[in-house]
Amino acid sequence: MIKSELIKSIAEKSSLTKEDSEAVLKGMIESIEETVAKGEKVQLVGFGSFEPRARAARMGRNPRTKEEISIAATTVPVFKAGKKFKNLINKLSWTYYNWKNTA
């Protein structure tokens, strides 16, 4: 699913216009980005949480030259799926897997 399809789906499920749905989605994404960039966690109960996570500096290897390189410490955004979301995906994946293998 791409962004335009997501906006259409939101509009259908919420009875908002596509323009309003796009504004809501854009606002939600911006709010999550700003909050995580400030170092705070965004938790959507049942769906999951977004949070910043620090990665320590480490030594790596250039795959072409095999030369060791230093990789700087950084902070990365992380999404962790919630229990309800995980259970739904596992249930749907299992159903699809069984359907695919019996056809």
Side-chain angles (χ1 to χ4, degrees), residues 43-78:
Q43 189 169 357
L44 304 171
V45 176
F47 180 69
S49 60
F50 300 87
E51 64 182 309
R53 192 166 294 162
R55 255 194 210 161
R58 62 193 189 280
M59 294 302 292
R61 191 170 297 278
N62 181 331
R64 280 194 184 163
T65 64
K66 309 295 184 209
E67 177 186 351
E68 280 196 355
I69 56 173
S70 176
I71 301 171
T74 187
T75 302
V76 295
V78 176

Side-chain angles (χ1 to χ4, degrees), residues 72-88:
T74 187
T75 302
V76 295
V78 176
F79 173 76
K80 183 177 177 187
K83 185 177 180 179
K84 182 179 174 185
F85 186 39
K86 282 183 191 177
N87 289 341
L88 175 66

Side-chain angles (χ1 to χ4, degrees), residues 19-68:
E19 291 78 21
D20 290 343
S21 297
E22 183 175 10
V24 168
L25 180 61
K26 183 179 176 184
M28 182 180 133
I29 291 171
E30 286 176 0
S31 295
I32 292 171
E33 289 172 342
E34 290 169 2
T35 303
V36 173
K38 288 190 280 185
E40 299 173 19
K41 184 176 182 177
V42 175
Q43 189 169 357
L44 304 171
V45 176
F47 180 69
S49 60
F50 300 87
E51 64 182 309
R53 192 166 294 162
R55 255 194 210 161
R58 62 193 189 280
M59 294 302 292
R61 191 170 297 278
N62 181 331
R64 280 194 184 163
T65 64
K66 309 295 184 209
E67 177 186 351
E68 280 196 355

Side-chain angles (χ1 to χ4, degrees), residues 89-102:
I89 298 303
N90 285 331
K91 180 181 175 185
L92 293 177
S93 296
W94 181 252
T95 303
Y96 176 75
Y97 174 79
N98 285 336
W99 171 80
K100 186 177 179 184
N101 289 328
T102 58

